[in-house]
Amino acid sequence: MNSVELFAGAGGLALGVARAGFKHLLVSEWDKEACDTLRRNAARVPEMAGWPVVEGDVRSLDYRPLRDRVDLLAGGPPCQPFSLGGKHGGEGDARNLFPEAIRAVRELRPKAVLFENVKGLLRSSFRPYLDYIRDWLRRPGLTPKEGESWEAHHARLRESKEVEYDVHSQLVDSANYGVPQSRQRVLMVAFRSDLKASWSTPPATAGEDALFHAQWISKRYWKEVGASVPRPPVEVKERLAREGLPLFPPALERWRTVRDALRGLPKPRTGMDAEIANHVLISGARAYPGHTGSELDLPAKTLKAGDHGVPGGENMLRLGGGRVRYFTVRESARLQTFPDAFTFHSAWGESMRQLGNAVPVTLAEVFATAIRDRLARAGSPRKRDAAAV
């Protein structure tokens, strides 16, 4: 199946889509440093070989040569206008490129769409605009009139009876899909309505209860990660006293933790003589209220890009005794489930910015695989025959 990737950044979403079995016909990104990251890794990561990376403004793209050839259009329109950590410009922010994402749907007519954005899009102040985007995605052919406000356009969209795409949106936490990081994101999935494809959110594969069971009931977690069993914290004792021992172990896999992600990596060192690419210690980390770093034996807090590279404690590891240190680029890449073969050649702050903006590769693969399976079923002879009857 063929795909087009917009707003590719460092390629987390695009790599997950490729791992799900899609072939990229176009990979678009405007940022020069991010494009350099994509091109350099094409020779290192097998799934990235031959990616047609196009550097430039998405507003200048001509999709006509690819019309009706695309099975999946994927991308993460810039999230800064809606980010909880940003300036909250929303639909009025110049970086809001959702209209360009909808133009791509209108001109490409893909069979399916996968858009990713931040949880902040669900804030009450932005919710009307989210509803607008979903309604416009249902009817991408109904374009705004010249000078028409988005509110007026939304009113016309709601009056229309025609539906070109069936749209679904869900808030998911990456930790529930095997990513060693708690990263909540809004995922929009759409299928062309003539395909009559069904959709349900892929079920979680991992859970917090399973991690708690592995750490404090069976205690097998500590053996798996090669650590001695610590003394249970007070909150663990209180939970056990309150809930008692479960009759059966949880059915899901346990959450993956920071310790899981960092296994096999040596202690990072300062300087340029790192044993592993991108595994260089950067000094200067400090904790402050609200930014205290990530626990070693839990999924990491959400990695963030920030306006200037690394903001505060979100990208730090707690070492105990009030000490913290920054995650190295390699450690951050593992927390985003990039393979170790994937390297970053930019300065530390720029590399962390790319990682903070990325979609975890594993999360992207889970959803792209589910979309591929739905498309395969929708296009099977048995399905078409049943629809004809």
Side-chain angles (χ1 to χ4, degrees):
M1 294 186 180
N2 294 325
S3 56
V4 163
E5 179 82 18
L6 303 180
F7 321 107
L13 180 59
L15 182 53
V17 168
R19 284 184 170 180
F22 289 89
K23 176 185 177 182
H24 292 308
L25 301 179
L26 168 68
V27 178
S28 172
E29 172 55 40
W30 74 273
D31 184 78
K32 185 180 187 311
E33 296 269 8
C35 287
D36 183 57
T37 296
L38 294 172
R39 294 187 182 109
R40 284 174 179 263
N41 281 286
R44 300 176 58 88
V45 181
E47 299 94 332
M48 298 179 66
W51 279 13
V53 177
V54 176
E55 181 179 337
D57 193 329
V58 69
R59 286 167 285 209
S60 66
L61 285 177
D62 179 5
Y63 299 110
R64 286 175 297 181
L66 299 179
R67 184 175 176 85
D68 293 324
R69 293 176 54 198
V70 177
D71 296 287
L72 175 63
L73 170 66
C79 64
Q80 293 91 340
F82 307 98
S83 173
L84 292 170
K87 298 177 182 176
H88 307 173
E91 71 280 353
D93 194 305
R95 296 168 297 178
N96 173 29
L97 292 177
F98 267 114
E100 281 300 312
I102 301 295
R103 178 177 76 87
V105 176
R106 180 170 61 254
E107 296 183 4
L108 286 170
R109 293 188 73 251
K111 293 179 181 178
V113 176
L114 173 61
F115 288 156
E116 174 268 351
N117 215 280
V118 293
K119 180 184 178 182
L121 198 59
L122 298 176
R123 285 204 305 270
S124 58
S125 57
F126 293 150
R127 193 61 183 255
Y129 192 74
L130 173 60
D131 291 340
Y132 166 56
I133 290 299
R134 285 190 290 219
D135 284 337
W136 195 5
L137 184 53
R138 290 185 179 98
R139 305 167 180 88
L142 186 57
T143 59
K145 298 176 181 178
E146 185 176 354
E148 184 178 36
S149 68
W150 72 263
E151 293 92 343
H153 183 216
H154 193 190
R156 288 198 299 116
L157 287 167
R158 288 185 164 178
E159 291 171 359
S160 175
K161 297 287 191 282
E162 182 181 2
V163 176
E164 298 173 68
Y165 283 83
D166 300 317
V167 179
H168 314 267
S169 62
Q170 47 264 305
L171 177 67
V172 300
D173 189 333
S174 300
N176 294 334
Y177 294 92
V179 176
Q181 177 189 175
S182 180
R183 189 178 187 89
Q184 293 187 318
R185 286 298 185 265
V186 175
L187 296 181
M188 273 187 253
V189 176
F191 292 92
R192 220 170 56 208
S193 55
D194 62 298
L195 298 175
K196 303 198 181 322
S198 62
W199 174 254
S200 59
T201 302
T205 58
E208 187 273 338
D209 284 346
L211 177 61
F212 183 87
H213 190 281
Q215 288 178 335
W216 307 115
I217 299 176
S218 73
K219 297 184 173 60
R220 64 179 174 83
Y221 168 82
W222 307 106
K223 183 177 180 180
E224 289 174 359
V225 299
S228 57
V229 180
R231 181 177 299 175
V234 172
E235 56 269 25
V236 169
K237 294 179 180 178
E238 291 176 347
R239 177 172 172 177
L240 289 171
R242 182 174 63 252
E243 299 178 4
L245 295 176
L247 293 176
F248 302 100
L252 298 178
E253 296 293 320
R254 63 172 176 83
W255 273 351
R256 293 189 64 222
T257 67
V258 173
R259 194 191 292 266
D260 285 316
L262 272 50
R263 286 185 71 188
L265 288 176
K267 194 178 210 178
R269 299 181 296 176
T270 57
M272 301 306 294
D273 59 342
E275 300 173 32
I276 295 176
N278 302 136
H279 193 46
V280 177
L281 180 64
I282 300 297
S283 60
R286 63 182 182 87
Y288 52 93
H291 299 276
T292 56
S294 296
E295 295 278 3
L296 186 61
D297 293 306
L298 289 173
K301 295 180 179 180
T302 304
L303 295 183
K304 296 182 180 179
D307 289 334
H308 305 287
V310 181
E314 291 92 341
N315 300 354
M316 296 190 308
L317 172 65
R318 292 190 201 178
L319 300 174
R323 296 176 302 124
V324 294
R325 70 164 175 84
Y326 284 124
F327 286 120
T328 69
V329 171
R330 180 80 276 133
E331 290 169 338
S332 299
R334 284 196 174 187
L335 294 174
Q336 288 283 52
T337 59
F338 281 88
D340 282 349
F342 194 107
T343 58
F344 294 82
H345 298 267
S346 302
W348 176 70
E350 169 60 22
S351 296
M352 293 296 285
R353 184 190 68 81
Q354 292 181 26
L355 280 163
N357 282 327
V359 177
V361 177
T362 296
L363 179 67
E365 182 179 2
V366 168
F367 273 75
T369 298
I371 290 170
R372 182 204 65 200
D373 292 345
R374 299 310 191 280
L375 288 176
R377 287 204 291 270
S380 67
R382 180 179 297 178
K383 186 74 175 179
R384 289 198 300 269
D385 293 344
V389 172

